[in-house]
């Protein structure tokens, strides 16, 4: 008999939708011990929250997150609110004995992140951060290939996350929709929003980063703030790039921006190893490009591996459709829920845990620090 | 207050899953007057049917389709069984006053299809055939561009549907899983299975087909039959290609096969018009290639339009995620359910109706007839 | 000591340039027994011919091709004039004991082609037809892979040659520049001009074609004729498609047109075999797409083999630049000259000879015959 | 009447071939006042030099470059020898009143480069550096689009030059073939060899670079030296990446390596502007990717502009073949010779002159300096 995993969702935004969809769908495709149940959703505006609840099938609503955390019929709190609120909610939820699933980035900075780690570890509650791109099947496949040693010694890692949605000068900053442009709510700009994804994947695929030299830029210096209605300085980073050394001796080049005209969410990564290389991009997420130097010379070429092609062999793909038929962005969240549930059953927590995600925060802090100081900055090593 | 649309599903196979998923999801993304309710699913094996019901949330099961059709708590019958059963079920469902949604192809042949049309029209029940590729956003966009006259006079239409899953000689024919290799169950091979999709889209985008010359082939002449356990002649077409004239004076070239090594479900189409051309393929279904001759000469080039890029402007995409994030195959079914429901509200039936799909059947019949006779065959025109 | 191969070129058009370039360059890159020498060029207009001679380095000019053929200081006649003149010139050249290199298609039809074959064979002179695409390195690589048996049993062959340069209604037909639109000069439209290339490659890669069913169309029914200045019916085929059976049991689908908006010279071919498939297109001619079913399942994908990548291993590429650097269209002609010269040294004539090219002519005749009769047409087998 | 431009070539390596080919071909395609004449080639080994002269048609050879420079029948000296020899030869040639064409990079460092600049400017001789990629038609098209203001304010510039040819540990360093691995001959590794190309293009397209932070790496620490036969430390940079600020406020990210498995000469560049973006890569050099934000929203997409498609409108392409037919790498050199000759006729020197190329050297110096110091380094501004 399957058990319910009773979810208390905080936040009704884009990520609230993506997670709710994942909870609703996982049971149709994955046969597991727990099935998520949309018990309650919480947000400040009651009408909007009720509408969200109706659309997604939440059984109840709350308008105060403390009330949600206080409910006995909730097993897990899912935090989908601006970054500056993560710390307080996560710690309270942990202290209330709830599992905590937190949207990325874990926190405003590593100090907050560390406090959150300590809280969930002290409470002994299951915890996870939604770095969903690990579970795009092509990226998971990349991980497996690396673990199998197919790439050999790694020389290079490069990743970009390019968007273009803030080029317009009349776009305001702050408020419900645009809190990502407000450093008070977001902590940083593209560094925490976009590079954090790139860094999480990089740490997972290629190990720790030792040190960085970085550059940030704010192209549009002031914007109307949605709260005040006044023109205020923009304090986030519109763009950020950094060079780094990985612990394994490879070199990293990372870049992200919201000013790359023509790219909506172009997260690309490439790894060059002695024996093989891989490339991936989010705009065609069902494909992994793979170059294998052990192929016969005259027949060597980048292979475009469509992870829809071999359901039985590609990560997660046996759960979906027949060969050749694409899945999309949202499926990465379904996979993450499935793995979280699997972790509950096996006792092996699904990654990235808060502790894993803390390390991404430390790289972000070093990046922002280097950009400010104009010097190389060391990354604080993991305690793990 | 939203009303339920109570579904009675017949069949638990791949299409049963795809449709069930669509019913489950449409309400989360589309705010409509009706919300599908998975009332009952029917299939011969009770245990398998119950497992399917549990996975997808059906409230009850039946093992006799006549019993399902007889139930008063069902509004719509969805037919997801082999082609040779479509006629009898559809007619019985119509006579029982149920809406009928039928998997493609409509029938074994045009004669059966016509009887089905007449039954649903006589009964005045809503009806639809699941030619889902019309509702891949990039294909819907193509339709709009054509309707706006952007392509101008059409010269060429070409479409392929290439698979490679039956190359192995030891693959059996027939039975639950492999009825598509059994002409008794399927009526034909790739013609009804794959070309029917290409023809449906073509008729929709480019209008009627006048006449055809065709070629079919059965590469593997005999296979073990799953029912008899004996080696029997293969009677389906493994591959089929045809040339045709469209009513608008353009030329068509169509090909499909299950022997194209390296392609799993490569449905491609291209239309060349005087002013512009478009191309699409199912393996990268979120992209429409578009060439506009009115672009400045030196800057002309095929545009790769990612339909994820402009949520507010691309068909259906405002319902999903933020720009840059792909949707997949299954979403085409969600869109079709949404349009079916819209049709119930507006009284404008969603296409393709049985009558629309009958015309695809007639082209298939002409194709198979020409392949047999070695001569050009006329397509019976629509009565509409 | 290297010997000169004294060329007498007839024609100053596009092909005259491409061949002259090949003669000029081959000695810089291929170290062979003969080096082409541009002895004379012949065309009716003396001034234009002299300008051409100056640009390319021809030592002398003629304005009467019979005079050119009569010269003792010419070893080889290269025919680069409209198709309707091939027969007479080639036969005269052969009878004068000259080697004959003839632009494709060999002739207006198979009857003329046969007469030309018999003439060069009777005279015992070296002869070759400029089906240059055989010697694009990626296409030559395809040939080698097929010969090595890597594709296994062949199921499908498909080829397109798509252009868009005659869509404008005010383009005249006939005259020096536009003789390809004049059936009196060209014999046919796209069939002899474009499909002939596709057919030549197909016969080379996949063996004989048994029978065909075809469709032709003339979209623009009348145009001003450059000679008469009057509007006259257009008698060439603007587009042509055909289906066929190859002798090896595989199916062929071929299409060509000058009305495919967005494509300038998109010659594509794809072959699907039991073990592997290949794809190539002229717009990115340095790449061969290759899918090998023997690759590990989860890592299977179409490989994009860049023939520039492995100079030492890819056909002809050791003669050019360092890895990664593209060659282009014109190099196929250099390769063909090099192979022709090699044939002179070894006594193994470079293909396609007139006899080889005759077979392409016979397929073209069958295609045009089928298009006219509306029936399948058999291809006359080769006597070889 | 055309005048000869009498070339004295120094060096018989890869670049000697590429330049010789350009001199031989330019007159066939460009109708200009001067026609290059291959008067003499100079290299130390007389037999090898004679063989080179025979292959390319040089009228004579020299084995001492001072002798070559001393000849009265030479108009222009072309320097195709290792970087450490550029300075002495160039200055001597200038002092002898010869035009000087020098392979890139201009010199070992900016100090040498400055001395060379001063020498040619003092002598008043025509001078040029072979940064040939400016004259790939797609790159030239990019330049024109930028000059027309189509990209608007520039936010980002990124460029990579990725190779994989030195991954093998047993590859020796130094000697005739491998001087690029020897810092004594080359000055630096990928910085001067590969990044110099990227920097030259960037300065041309996007203006001056203000400051840089850089990272270099030598992955293989020691190799056998071809001269000594002994294992010696490797002193070149195997890989180099840098971040920078351009004078126009845009951000730059540059990377190059010889350890990117799967890439032979993947020079890519991308520029993101407020109104449009462009991308290009050398492995498919005939294409420019272009995204224009002014396109209608729903039809926006990256355009793949094939510069072969519109001969009359794309830079240089009217000189070559008919639409759709690719040119390759070597043509960039032909274009450069043509522009050099044009500059002789018009008095407007073809870029990049020594003075232009000096600025690239200064960026390289800053990059190498920053990599060593671990700090941001300013680039010395141009005096121009």
């Amino acid at each position: 008999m399957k058990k319910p995993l009773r979810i208390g969702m905080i936040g009704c935004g884009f990520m609230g939708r993506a997670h709710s969809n994942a909870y609703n769908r996982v049971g149709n495709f994955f046969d597991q011990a727990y099935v998520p149940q949309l018990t309650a959703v919480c947000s400040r505006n009651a009408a909007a929250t009720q509408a969200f609840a109706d659309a997604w099938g939440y059984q109840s609503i709350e308008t105060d997150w403390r009330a949600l955390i206080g409910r006995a019929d909730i097993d897990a709190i899912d935090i989908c609110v601006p970054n500056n609120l993560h710390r307080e909610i996560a710690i309270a939820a942990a202290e209330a004995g709830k599992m905590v699933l937190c949207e990325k980035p874990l926190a405003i900075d590593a100090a907050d992140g560390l406090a959150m780690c300590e809280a969930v570890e002290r409470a002994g509650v299951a915890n996870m951060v939604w770095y969903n791109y690990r579970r795009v099947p092509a990226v998971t496949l990349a991980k497996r290939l690396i673990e199998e040693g197919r790439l050999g010694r790694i020389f290079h890692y490069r990743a970009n996350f390019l968007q273009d949605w803030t080029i317009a000068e009349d776009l305001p900053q702050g408020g419900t929709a645009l809190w990502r442009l407000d450093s008070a709510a977001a902590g940083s700009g593209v560094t925490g929003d976009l590079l954090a994804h790139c860094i999480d994947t990089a740490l997972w695929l290629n190990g720790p980063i030792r040190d960085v030299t970085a550059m940030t830029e704010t192209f549009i210096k002031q914007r109307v703030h949605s709260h005040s209605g006044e023109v205020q300085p923009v304090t986030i980073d519109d763009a950020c790039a950094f060079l780094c050394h990985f612990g394994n001796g490879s070199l990293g080049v990372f870049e992200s921006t919201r000013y790359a005209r023509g790219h909506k969410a172009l997260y690309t990564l490439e790894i060059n190893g002695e024996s093989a290389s891989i490339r991936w991009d989010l705009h065609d997420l069902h494909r992994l490009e793979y170059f294998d130097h052990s192929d016969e010379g005259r027949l060597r070429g980048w292979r475009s591996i469509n992870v829809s092609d071999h359901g039985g062999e590609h990560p997660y793909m046996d759960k979906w459709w027949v060969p050749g038929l694409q899945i999309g962005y949202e499926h990465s969240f379904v996979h993450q829920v499935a793995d979280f549930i699997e972790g509950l059953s096996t006792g092996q927590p699904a990654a990235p845990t808060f502790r894993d995600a803390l390390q991404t925060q430390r790289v972000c802090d070093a990046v922002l620090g280097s950009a400010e100081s104009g010097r190389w900055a060391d990354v604080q090593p993991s305690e793990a």
Side-chain angles (χ1 to χ4, degrees), chain A:
Chain A
M1 192 55 199
K2 301 192 177 195
K3 284 170 283 186
L5 177 67
R6 297 167 302 176
I7 304 293
M9 165 70 64
I10 306 178
C12 293
F14 171 51
M15 278 300 131
R17 295 177 78 229
H19 298 194
S20 298
N21 181 61
Y23 294 132
N24 269 348
R25 303 188 65 204
V26 67
N28 295 156
F29 293 92
F30 290 77
D31 186 11
Q32 299 186 298
Y34 295 86
V35 177
Q37 183 177 295
L38 299 185
T39 303
V41 58
C42 171
S43 187
R44 269 176 290 192
N45 180 309
T49 308
Q50 189 58 54
F52 188 90
D54 291 344
W56 292 98
Y58 282 89
Q59 296 161 356
S60 63
I61 72 165
E62 297 287 347
T63 55
D64 173 355
W65 62 262
R66 292 179 195 278
L68 185 79
I69 286 174
R71 282 173 56 161
D73 64 344
I74 301 281
D75 301 312
I77 295 295
D78 190 342
I79 304 173
C80 291
V81 290
N83 306 339
N84 61 332
L85 304 175
H86 288 191
R87 176 185 170 141
E88 190 177 12
I89 297 174
I91 293 175
E95 291 176 349
K98 308 299 190 193
M99 306 179 200
V100 193
L101 301 97
C102 185
E103 243 307 310
K104 48 66 52 183
L106 176 60
I108 287 285
D109 57 25
D112 270 21
L114 180 58
M116 293 165 72
C117 279
E118 290 171 348
V120 293
E121 290 169 359
R122 197 182 312 120
V125 295
N127 58 92
M128 188 176 69
V129 180
W130 291 93
Y131 282 111
N132 62 300
Y133 293 125
R134 292 188 182 200
R135 288 175 171 90
V136 170
V139 176
T140 313
L141 176 60
K143 172 68 170 173
R144 293 189 188 170
L145 299 180
I146 293 166
E147 285 182 339
E148 293 166 11
R150 286 173 186 269
L151 272 63
R153 177 181 175 189
I154 305 299
F155 297 119
H156 293 285
Y157 192 103
R158 62 188 71 85
N160 281 356
F161 207 133
L162 307 180
Q163 299 186 333
D164 69 359
W165 63 282
T166 64
I167 293 179
E169 298 199 358
D170 56 0
L171 191 73
Q173 58 177 316
T176 305
L178 295 166
W179 63 265
R180 284 182 177 82
L181 297 190
D182 180 359
S183 69
S188 65
V190 297
T191 303
D193 185 23
L194 306 181
L195 276 180
H197 272 302
C198 300
I199 295 165
D200 173 73
T201 318
L203 298 178
W204 188 53
L205 296 180
N206 201 38
I209 290 173
R210 286 207 320 255
D211 56 5
V212 303
T213 181
M215 160 177 79
T216 58
E217 183 65 76
T218 304
F219 289 114
I220 297 196
K221 306 296 186 194
Q222 49 184 24
R223 293 180 184 275
V224 171
H225 198 291
S226 299
H227 286 159
S228 66
E230 289 176 13
V231 173
Q232 291 179 213
V234 173
T235 55
I236 57 152
D237 42 305
D238 284 342
C240 178
F242 70 93
L243 311 179
C244 70
H245 297 99
F246 282 87
N248 64 7
S250 62
L251 306 182
V253 179
F254 290 77
E255 184 184 8
S256 72
T257 183
R258 292 173 182 150
Y259 287 72
R261 184 61 81 195
H263 301 305
K264 296 302 169 186
L266 189 71
Y267 175 14
T268 66
L269 65 86
E270 175 165 341
I271 313 178
N272 302 130
E274 184 171 0
S275 312
S277 289
I278 58 173
R279 275 197 304 224
W280 173 80
D281 85 73
L282 178 57
H283 279 192
D284 296 284
L285 59 76
H286 56 303
R287 295 186 176 277
L288 184 71
E289 304 286 319
Y290 175 66
F291 181 93
D292 193 331
H293 187 62
S294 69
D295 283 342
E296 183 183 344
R298 174 176 81 116
L299 296 178
R300 268 181 221 139
W302 283 85
R303 301 183 195 181
S304 184
I305 301 174
N306 184 335
V307 296
S308 312
D309 277 1
H310 296 276
E313 300 183 77
H314 285 137
Y316 303 108
M317 293 305 296
D318 59 324
K319 306 304 185 199
W320 301 101
W321 313 108
V322 299
L325 302 177
Q326 279 180 241
I327 62 169
Y329 163 74
E330 69 212 58
H331 300 72
S332 62
F333 293 93
V334 179
H335 302 158
Q336 189 153 359
V337 172
D339 285 349
F340 181 77
I341 289 174
E342 198 65 18
L344 297 182
S345 298
T346 64
Q348 292 289 339
T353 63
F354 279 24
R355 181 62 63 177
D356 298 325
L358 170 61
Q359 214 48 33
T360 291
Q361 214 65 47
R362 285 170 170 159
V363 177
C364 289
D365 282 10
V367 164
L368 293 169
S370 168
E372 190 167 339
S373 73
R375 298 182 176 228
W376 282 81
D378 288 335
V379 177
Q380 184 181 337
S382 171
E383 298 82 356

